[in-house]
Amino acid sequence: MSIFFAFVLHIFHLVYAVILKVRSLRKQLFASPPQQLLAPRRRIPKHLAIVFAVDPSVPVETAVETLTESVLNAVEWCRTIGIKKLTVYEEKDMLSKCTRTLYDNLPAQGQELDSGESEIDYPLTPPPSDHSESRPLSPNDAPENHVPVTRLHISERSSRKEMQNGQKPIRRRQQKPTESAHKSDLLLCMISAEASKPAIAAAARALARTESRRLRNSPPLEKREPYKLAVEELDRILEDESGLSSPDFMIIHPIDFSRSSSAPPELHGFPPWHIRLTEIFQNHPRDRSSQPWFSWRQPCTPIPLDEISFREALDEFASAEMRFGK
């Protein structure tokens, strides 16, 4: 009897998997095209995050080129529809290799290229002593821990920087032209895995050292209250509106040689503290160029984030039903 029920259960799962696959194929083949970029939507994210999942098999030069093109396109689209903040993430810090190219091809306001790691200059201090009750703060001891973020302020006031400096912008894949509109200012933040769990661990070490110093400096007979960590205190350390903050919407874009969409969504080490209320969209890149039906036999190349996928993600976010609770 147990064998019979196991067989029925396997048949049920098989039928369910076939139904899901048919629905997925039907959605891909007969889905209506996404709205235009400037079409009115019920909701637009104020802070957008894009996670680039680079496959290890992709050469570094190809990955950097694809990342650069994707970020340049995303910046243009965000400025067109009025998104105020864009955070781009790549786990292995390949974005650092794109920084100079992005700065040369984006209308950055002045010398706004900076990193959160270098904003505070700490004086040189001798090695800490185990018996020292008071000593200068070092980056590991300071509760005001800054998450490593590279920021680029993009402003309309310097939109002609390339023309004035005689710089030649890099070539991008041909995109469908959008309606002309005033482009808003944008804060571009670039982060890697160093802004994720290592930043949380550094914040925990700083809080532990601060509490240990407080206990050592308190009188022996004084009643000591147990330490309680508040969510607001950790927010103050890990989040910064001018740096890394919680995005409203996240797009996961894979950069690989595969065209299959069976892989489940992965965050690839994106800072977990900042996505408690974030809507997540998994993008499945498709080669939209006109190629023959047998082009699947040809070697695939990584596809940058394109406008159609970006608009599909915006439509998904606009139609999402958000319940934040009380």
Side-chain angles (χ1 to χ4, degrees):
M1 185 63 68
S2 59
I3 298 178
F4 173 75
F5 285 113
F7 177 76
V8 172
L9 185 62
H10 279 77
I11 294 297
F12 175 79
H13 284 291
L14 177 62
V15 173
Y16 183 68
V18 171
I19 293 175
L20 290 181
K21 191 64 177 180
V22 171
R23 292 179 59 183
S24 177
L25 292 175
R26 181 181 178 184
K27 183 178 180 181
Q28 293 181 10
L29 295 176
F30 302 102
S32 58
Q35 299 185 69
Q36 294 298 320
L37 191 62
L38 293 175
R41 291 179 172 85
R42 186 166 63 95
R43 186 188 301 110
I44 291 292
K46 297 180 180 179
H47 179 190
L48 172 66
I50 303 179
V51 175
F52 293 104
V54 180
D55 192 86
S57 62
V58 179
V60 176
E61 295 78 8
T62 304
V64 170
E65 181 181 354
T66 307
L67 283 171
T68 303
E69 182 176 347
S70 299
V71 174
L72 289 174
N73 290 334
V75 167
E76 180 179 354
W77 301 326
C78 289
R79 296 184 64 210
T80 300
I81 64 177
I83 295 178
K84 298 299 182 182
K85 187 174 182 180
L86 172 64
T87 298
V88 290
Y89 171 87
E90 198 282 320
E91 184 178 9
K92 303 301 182 181
D93 199 23
M94 287 188 183
L95 289 169
S96 62
K97 298 180 176 63
C98 314
T99 303
R100 179 48 54 185
T101 305
L102 293 174
Y103 181 73
D104 292 338
N105 289 272
L106 289 175
Q109 180 182 356
Q111 297 292 333
E112 294 291 341
L113 187 63
D114 57 61
S115 174
E117 292 179 308
S118 58
E119 287 190 351
I120 297 181
D121 295 327
Y122 293 93
L124 296 176
T125 59
S129 172
D130 294 337
H131 304 285
S132 175
E133 294 187 357
S134 64
R135 52 189 171 93
L137 288 178
S138 65
N140 292 331
D141 296 329
E144 298 292 339
N145 184 45
H146 286 257
V147 179
V149 180
T150 301
R151 295 188 290 268
L152 189 61
H153 296 265
I154 303 169
S155 173
E156 183 70 21
R157 287 170 288 181
S158 55
S159 58
R160 299 183 181 274
K161 184 187 66 174
E162 297 91 345
M163 298 178 59
Q164 293 174 356
N165 297 340
Q167 296 173 347
K168 189 176 181 180
I170 65 175
R171 296 180 60 186
R172 304 185 224 172
R173 299 191 185 186
Q174 186 68 26
Q175 298 285 343
K176 186 177 179 180
T178 56
E179 303 176 21
S180 59
H182 172 76
K183 296 183 178 181
S184 60
D185 297 348
L186 177 72
L187 175 60
L188 174 64
C189 299
M190 293 175 282
I191 60 175
S192 66
E194 290 298 319
S196 183
K197 294 180 181 179
I200 298 178
R205 288 194 299 267
L207 291 170
R209 288 192 177 100
T210 302
E211 177 64 14
S212 177
R213 188 181 304 108
R214 184 186 70 86
L215 294 177
R216 288 199 309 266
N217 295 336
S218 61
L221 299 180
E222 181 182 356
K223 183 179 179 181
R224 299 175 180 177
E225 295 292 334
Y227 177 73
K228 295 181 180 180
L229 177 61
V231 175
E232 294 76 13
E233 185 176 3
L234 202 54
D235 280 339
R236 178 175 55 84
I237 299 174
L238 296 177
E239 296 200 13
D240 183 8
E241 288 301 323
S242 62
L244 181 58
S245 58
S246 299
D248 305 316
F249 187 43
M250 174 189 294
I251 300 175
I252 303 176
H253 179 76
I255 298 178
D256 53 24
F257 293 119
S258 174
R259 293 292 182 267
S260 62
S261 59
S262 58
E266 294 185 23
L267 298 180
H268 299 273
F270 189 89
W273 185 262
H274 304 78
I275 54 175
R276 290 165 289 179
L277 300 175
T278 301
E279 290 289 327
I280 300 177
F281 175 83
Q282 171 76 35
N283 184 35
H284 302 295
R286 297 187 296 274
D287 194 349
R288 307 178 193 277
S289 59
S290 55
Q291 293 186 359
W293 63 271
F294 55 84
S295 60
W296 63 272
R297 299 179 181 270
Q298 303 174 1
C300 299
T301 57
I303 300 179
L305 182 64
D306 62 286
E307 183 180 331
I308 296 180
S309 299
F310 188 80
R311 285 154 41 193
E312 289 177 351
L314 291 179
D315 292 346
E316 187 80 13
F317 178 77
S319 61
E321 183 179 355
M322 302 181 182
R323 299 179 180 179
F324 300 115
K326 296 182 179 179

